[in-house]
Amino acid sequence: MLTRKQHELLNYIHSHLEATGISPSFEEMKEALDLKSKSGIHRLVTALEERGYLRRLKNRARALEVLRLPGEDEVKPARSKSKNVIEPDFGKSEDAAPSTVQPSANDDAGLMSLPLHGAIAAGTPIEALQNNDMFVSYPAAMLGHGTHYALEVAGDSMIDAGIFDGDTVIIEQCETAHNGEIIVALVDDHEATLKKLRRKGQSIALEAANPDYETRIFGPDRVKIQGKLVGLMRQY
């Protein structure tokens, strides 16, 4: 199944080939998808090639051939447009998920069913959308105690930490973390982002793992920790 970015890129390449007869450059693809670097395009093209949607023609520059376009059932559904964000006390209200996650009813292989709560930015902060209708399965043996949930990564600011656009990260809900841990940070109560935590005196620095992004520094009252990274899932 294609991610939304993979689908978007495939459609762009197809439209460009139909209109011009030549493949778009990686720079054109980067700008069309509003990505910060061409490394993200390289990963998307490779993923499409591995899945049999694209073919690179050897010995020809900028030569891509679209082999097929996906059907609706081959693309991940779009996220809800709800403006609800993950609240700072996520998981503590009467309607929130219980403190322990029950095994999936359809799984007898030791997997846990974790709620997938929408997209988290690994780049410029975006809203973390709640979506209580989607779940992912994750090995129970790889989870510790406490409450866990999943978020889909959007952006490439954590690529040097091995976290890519379209990955699904597994988060342990918590309100504190150590320096160097990768956290879900809620900035000014409405922007959520996935970054490495660095404390500098009374300030909190949210550090990217990509030299194309600057470290952002905030006062302690502007950032709330909503969880820390404990796992990652990737589709190939």
Side-chain angles (χ1 to χ4, degrees), residues 32-51:
L33 269 66
D34 196 26
L35 296 182
K36 295 292 185 181
S37 70
K38 287 185 283 189
S39 61
I41 296 296
H42 280 282
R43 286 192 300 275
L44 291 172
V45 168
T46 298
L48 289 170
E49 189 176 22
E50 290 173 348
R51 288 166 171 78

Side-chain angles (χ1 to χ4, degrees), residues 76-235:
K76 287 185 178 180
R79 299 297 175 197
S80 165
K81 297 301 182 181
S82 164
K83 295 302 181 182
N84 293 328
V85 301
I86 299 177
E87 299 297 336
D89 60 346
F90 172 74
K92 298 182 180 179
S93 69
E94 293 182 355
D95 297 328
S99 58
T100 58
V101 182
Q102 298 299 318
S104 168
N106 298 322
D107 192 348
D108 58 0
L111 299 182
M112 300 289 259
S113 182
L114 304 180
L116 179 62
H117 285 291
I120 183 74
T124 303
I126 60 174
E127 288 180 330
L129 304 178
Q130 284 221 27
N131 186 337
N132 292 321
D133 297 327
M134 299 184 67
F135 295 84
V136 298
S137 294
Y138 195 77
M142 298 180 68
L143 296 174
H145 297 291
T147 301
H148 297 80
Y149 58 94
L151 294 168
E152 184 173 327
V153 175
D156 63 353
S157 75
M158 298 301 291
I159 58 174
D160 287 349
I163 302 171
F164 300 151
D165 183 55
D167 286 349
T168 299
V169 289
I170 308 302
I171 304 298
E172 177 187 339
Q173 183 183 324
C174 61
E175 297 180 353
T176 61
H178 298 295
N179 268 350
E181 289 187 310
I182 296 174
I183 64 167
V184 174
L186 189 70
V187 180
D188 295 331
D189 286 332
H190 72 278
E191 292 180 326
T193 189
L194 187 73
K195 290 290 181 294
K196 187 174 293 185
L197 174 67
R198 297 291 184 191
R199 297 185 187 274
K200 299 181 179 180
Q202 295 298 312
S203 298
I204 293 178
L206 300 180
E207 182 180 283
N210 182 336
D212 291 342
Y213 292 82
E214 295 181 353
T215 297
R216 305 177 75 212
I217 300 176
F218 301 92
D221 58 336
R222 295 185 60 192
V223 176
K224 296 175 182 176
I225 297 172
Q226 293 193 296
K228 62 182 180 181
L229 177 73
V230 296
L232 182 144
M233 300 170 63
R234 179 173 300 149
Q235 288 188 342

Side-chain angles (χ1 to χ4, degrees), residues 30 65 119 147 209:
K30 177 177 76 73
E65 180 184 3
T147 301

